[in-house]
Amino acid sequence: MLTYIKQFVGMFLLVIFVCGAPLMLYTHKEEVVFEPERVVSRVVYLIEKFTEGSLGTYYLGVNEREIAEDILPFTLSSFELLFCSIMISVIISILLGLFMHRNRLSRIVQRVLDIISMVPDFILILFSIVLAIGFYKLTNIRLITLSPTSDAANNWFPTAVLALGPTIFLVKVVVLKYAEIAGEDYIKTALAKGLKLRHVQLHHVYKNIKPFLLADLKKAIAITVANLFIVEYSLNVVGLTRFIFTKGGGYQFNSSVMGLMGIILLSIFVYVLVRLFLYLFERTLVYR
Amino acid sequence: MRSRSNAFLWVGSIMVSLLILIAVLGPTIAPYPLDFQEKVRNEVVNGKNVIIKPPLPPSGIHLLGTDKWGYDMLTKLLYGARYTVFVTMAIALLRVIFGTVIGLYLGMQDQEAKWWVSIENAWSYIPIFIPVYFLLVGINVNSDLSTSALVAIFIGIVTILGIPSVVSSIRQKTMQIKDMQYVLAASSLGAGRNQIIFRHVLPHLKEQVTLVFVMEIISTMTLMGLLGMFDQFVGGTEMTFDPILYHSITNEWAGLLGNYRSFIYSSYPWIYMVPLIAFVFAITSFTLLAKGLRDRYQGTYHRTPFI
């Protein structure tokens, strides 16, 4: 328990430090000025607001709004995006990389993902917008809606775009590890005993891939979070990143701290949920 | 297997050489000076009076067209190329040099440095563009500093924040090599730590270090692209008010991409397609090089899977 509290405090300090950087580090008459003390008063103000039971206010455009009022719906929409896309990527990577490893379709998808992965994710996101607009011009079918309040606003397009990055990464990890583990002697032994392919995949390969999958899951979430900023920003999804990058607005310390803390806590929560999913998957399929 | 990996390596190397050539020669072969601007004018075409106003589409006069303000796109790209190529290379080189030295010494220690491992762990889960963005935002926009100073600051910040990932991969590899028989033999013959590092460990890391260098170039370029999306351009952002617009001072490719991203929704596709294609070309050439190198190095340890 104590270590968790310690980690939480450490995280909070790190967030304060990162968010406070624009206040500490600025230029004044051709000189870079570093004044860490400028953050202190802001932090005191932030904590004062905490003790009053409010989270302070921020500016969205020209309107001053309560952070506490907006943080819940924003978090929910970010959570939906983040969780759905991570789940999609985990399921696809296990299916394609593990159980359909030798399948022809899976091979083709792996190839395609391999080629796509040469281009950074944020370019893919930009490109998807271009494609969606082209698609709309051709067929009149609307895939993206940039007004978040419109009736035609959908969630599946941003989710799909966001899922692309972690999917590419996780499929690559699983395929690579599969190739490595499938060359081990215990696989040979299992096959020589006459065990079925499915059984070997589930009980020998999956169990050995799992530690690497879990280790890289954190990285996958980090990739998704980085992409979340781009997706929410360029597809105009209202989410937690809105606290950090307000369009056209200036830099706001309070809302940035809240936004960044929210995103970190959210990604930890998503990680726990995905682990829970994998645990249930094992309980129902592997250790029946 | 061998022949295919060589194809990647060859194509990648040729593309990278081309890129470096463009970066070096760019300003001399640029068709227009950087501040050349097409103005609105009248011209008689087939007996009719036509108003010509920017943005001009790609044509014989402007091979890649002009942007909304009448500046030639090809010229901008050619002037910006050196920042894209050399800044990323400088950052990657510095990261690799510092990262390798730190990684080697940390990896050679008998006990794993716990404090460092926790830094590595924490660092690999933070999208690096967030701290870089926050550090730059106070300095970079409408800055009084010169472009070269801003580039230097950018290189410094991105290098320092990127070192832990390099250290991580070098340290892990060093720890593997440290347990090899020949290292034991060398140390039993009385070799000191530096002797072992430079004579026995470093030669084995040669391939790894080359690969890490190329990978770091790719990740730096991606980072620059991400920052460009949020209007932080290498070498400074010029912000104009009313309307609020951001311009890249150096015309660096990732910056141009961020600069023109809003034209996705316009009917002038070349304005964002030109920097997009240029940036993808740059990043793909290094990706192909990395892929070629990796295939070449890994071929030695390849085992055929049974299932």
Side-chain angles (χ1 to χ4, degrees):
Chain A
M1 191 64 202
L2 193 69
T3 45
Y4 282 122
I5 293 171
K6 252 193 227 166
Q7 274 172 354
F8 185 80
V9 171
M11 211 163 68
F12 186 69
L13 288 178
L14 193 70
V15 167
I16 295 269
F17 184 76
V18 167
C19 289
L23 300 171
M24 295 190 269
L25 209 61
Y26 61 99
T27 51
H28 180 74
K29 285 181 188 164
E30 302 191 12
E31 255 177 63
V32 181
V33 187
F34 179 67
E35 279 182 352
E37 62 270 18
R38 293 207 341 158
V39 177
V40 177
S41 61
R42 298 297 195 98
V43 176
V44 171
Y45 174 74
L46 189 76
I47 292 170
E48 253 173 29
K49 284 283 171 193
F50 271 145
T51 49
E52 283 170 22
S54 114
L55 299 175
T57 58
Y58 76 112
Y59 284 94
L60 195 65
V62 285
N63 304 320
E64 189 175 5
R65 293 176 65 91
E66 285 282 327
I67 291 179
E69 219 169 84
D70 283 346
I71 200 162
L72 207 64
F74 283 17
T75 312
L76 270 179
S77 82
S78 283
F79 169 72
E80 216 173 289
L81 267 180
L82 201 63
F83 181 65
C84 290
S85 40
I86 293 278
M87 280 308 286
I88 290 172
S89 65
V90 168
I91 291 171
I92 288 182
S93 65
I94 291 179
L95 275 183
L96 284 187
L98 189 66
F99 296 114
M100 292 164 60
H101 190 82
R102 289 264 168 216
N103 189 304
R104 184 176 291 174
L105 178 81
S106 163
R107 278 287 153 110
I108 295 170
V109 175
Q110 283 168 27
R111 269 287 151 71
V112 171
L113 288 181
D114 211 30
I115 293 168
I116 293 180
S117 70
M118 283 186 194
V119 181
D121 296 340
F122 81 96
I123 301 270
L124 292 178
I125 295 168
L126 277 187
F127 225 74
S128 74
I129 300 174
V130 177
L131 285 182
I133 292 173
F135 189 72
Y136 177 66
K137 279 180 184 160
L138 273 178
T139 60
N140 232 10
I141 298 173
R142 196 180 296 212
L143 294 181
I144 52 172
T145 313
L146 293 169
S147 158
T149 50
S150 143
D151 294 333
N154 59 17
N155 255 341
W156 66 265
F157 187 76
T159 312
V161 172
L162 190 60
L164 212 56
T167 308
I168 291 171
F169 176 70
L170 282 181
V171 167
K172 207 183 238 173
V173 166
V174 173
V175 167
L176 216 76
K177 282 292 154 201
Y178 187 99
E180 213 169 89
I181 288 165
E184 295 285 348
D185 288 341
Y186 52 81
I187 302 289
K188 205 178 185 179
T189 317
L191 286 175
K193 279 181 181 168
L195 295 174
K196 288 272 179 312
L197 180 64
R198 280 270 168 273
H199 184 92
V200 176
Q201 279 175 341
L202 210 57
H203 289 267
H204 297 78
V205 185
Y206 171 73
K207 280 181 197 170
N208 284 295
I209 283 181
K210 202 192 152 202
F212 296 102
L213 188 66
L214 284 184
D216 284 327
L217 188 62
K218 285 182 189 167
K219 222 160 201 170
I221 291 176
I223 292 171
T224 323
V225 167
N227 289 350
L228 183 75
F229 281 89
I230 307 287
V231 166
E232 289 193 353
Y233 189 76
S234 56
L235 291 176
N236 228 355
V237 181
V238 180
L240 273 178
T241 60
R242 192 52 62 90
F243 282 136
I244 302 170
F245 299 109
T246 40
K247 275 184 187 166
Y251 172 75
Q252 300 172 63
F253 179 72
N254 261 21
S255 66
S256 292
V257 172
M258 287 298 134
L260 207 54
M261 270 316 264
I263 285 168
I264 292 173
L265 292 176
L266 203 62
S267 42
I268 293 171
F269 184 56
V270 167
Y271 175 73
V272 172
L273 281 183
V274 174
R275 283 203 70 158
L276 190 71
F277 166 77
L278 285 176
Y279 175 77
L280 290 177
F281 167 76
E282 271 170 33
R283 281 288 139 194
T284 47
L285 271 175
V286 186
Y287 307 103
R288 275 187 280 208
Chain B
M1 199 67 201
R2 208 34 35 143
S3 63
R4 214 187 82 216
S5 68
N6 276 349
F8 279 123
L9 199 59
W10 273 108
V11 175
S13 321
I14 290 170
M15 281 166 83
V16 169
S17 326
L18 196 67
L19 207 60
I20 294 174
L21 212 64
I22 291 174
V24 174
L25 296 178
T28 45
I29 56 171
Y32 294 93
L34 194 54
D35 52 2
F36 176 82
Q37 198 177 7
E38 285 284 355
K39 300 270 167 51
V40 180
R41 63 174 191 273
N42 267 320
E43 228 168 64
V44 182
V45 181
N46 298 335
K48 276 184 200 163
N49 225 357
V50 183
I51 296 174
I52 294 188
K53 63 172 179 24
L56 301 177
S59 64
I61 315 162
H62 296 284
L63 279 178
L64 299 177
T66 72
D67 68 1
K68 199 183 169 189
W69 298 276
Y71 294 107
D72 185 55
M73 295 294 281
L74 183 62
T75 309
K76 272 180 170 274
L77 285 180
L78 287 173
Y79 271 92
R82 42 191 181 154
Y83 290 99
T84 311
V85 176
F86 294 131
V87 169
T88 45
M89 281 190 167
I91 291 170
L93 190 69
L94 288 174
R95 276 185 185 180
V96 165
I97 290 171
F98 288 115
T100 307
V101 171
I102 299 172
L104 275 172
Y105 280 96
L106 282 175
M108 284 305 287
Q109 279 175 0
D110 294 331
Q111 271 199 327
E112 213 172 37
K114 285 250 170 55
W115 58 274
W116 179 261
V117 176
S118 60
I119 290 180
E120 259 177 25
N121 276 335
W123 212 237
S124 64
Y125 304 130
I126 299 174
I128 198 170
F129 91 92
I130 294 172
V132 175
Y133 174 85
F134 281 114
L135 285 169
L136 279 181
V137 80
I139 304 172
N140 215 24
V141 182
N142 283 352
S143 177
D144 300 326
L145 298 175
S146 66
T147 305
S148 46
L150 284 173
V151 170
I153 290 173
F154 181 82
I155 291 176
I157 290 176
V158 176
T159 303
I160 292 170
L161 293 182
I163 284 177
S165 73
V166 179
V167 172
S168 161
S169 65
I170 298 294
R171 188 182 61 90
Q172 279 163 17
K173 191 84 186 167
T174 308
M175 279 166 54
Q176 278 174 22
I177 295 172
K178 191 181 68 180
D179 297 331
M180 293 283 186
Q181 298 273 312
Y182 55 80
V183 175
L184 189 69
S187 71
S188 67
L189 284 171
R193 192 166 67 169
N194 288 332
Q195 169 102 1
I196 289 176
I197 285 178
F198 289 106
R199 284 277 177 86
H200 301 277
V201 181
L202 202 55
H204 280 265
L205 285 175
K206 216 166 46 191
E207 297 173 341
Q208 178 96 357
V209 170
T210 323
L211 196 57
V212 166
F213 174 64
V214 182
M215 298 298 285
E216 289 303 313
I217 290 179
I218 297 168
S219 74
T220 312
M221 250 184 214
T222 313
L223 174 73
M224 276 156 58
L226 280 172
L227 289 171
M229 295 286 293
F230 294 101
D231 304 314
Q232 296 305 319
F233 309 132
V234 177
T237 301
E238 197 185 334
M239 183 181 176
T240 55
F241 299 93
D242 203 23
I244 294 180
L245 290 170
Y246 299 93
H247 302 282
S248 164
I249 294 173
T250 54
N251 296 311
E252 181 271 320
W253 291 5
L256 286 180
L257 183 58
N259 209 344
Y260 294 129
R261 68 173 186 281
S262 57
F263 286 95
I264 283 185
Y265 308 112
S266 74
S267 46
Y268 317 117
W270 68 90
I271 296 184
Y272 68 85
M273 280 312 260
V274 166
L276 186 67
I277 290 170
F279 184 72
V280 170
F281 172 79
I283 212 154
T284 317
S285 52
F286 284 107
T287 319
L288 284 174
L289 187 64
K291 201 171 163 52
L293 285 173
R294 194 181 301 129
D295 283 358
R296 194 184 159 133
Y297 297 153
Q298 272 177 0
T300 340
Y301 307 105
H302 185 70
R303 266 200 292 180
T304 317
F306 298 118
I307 51 172

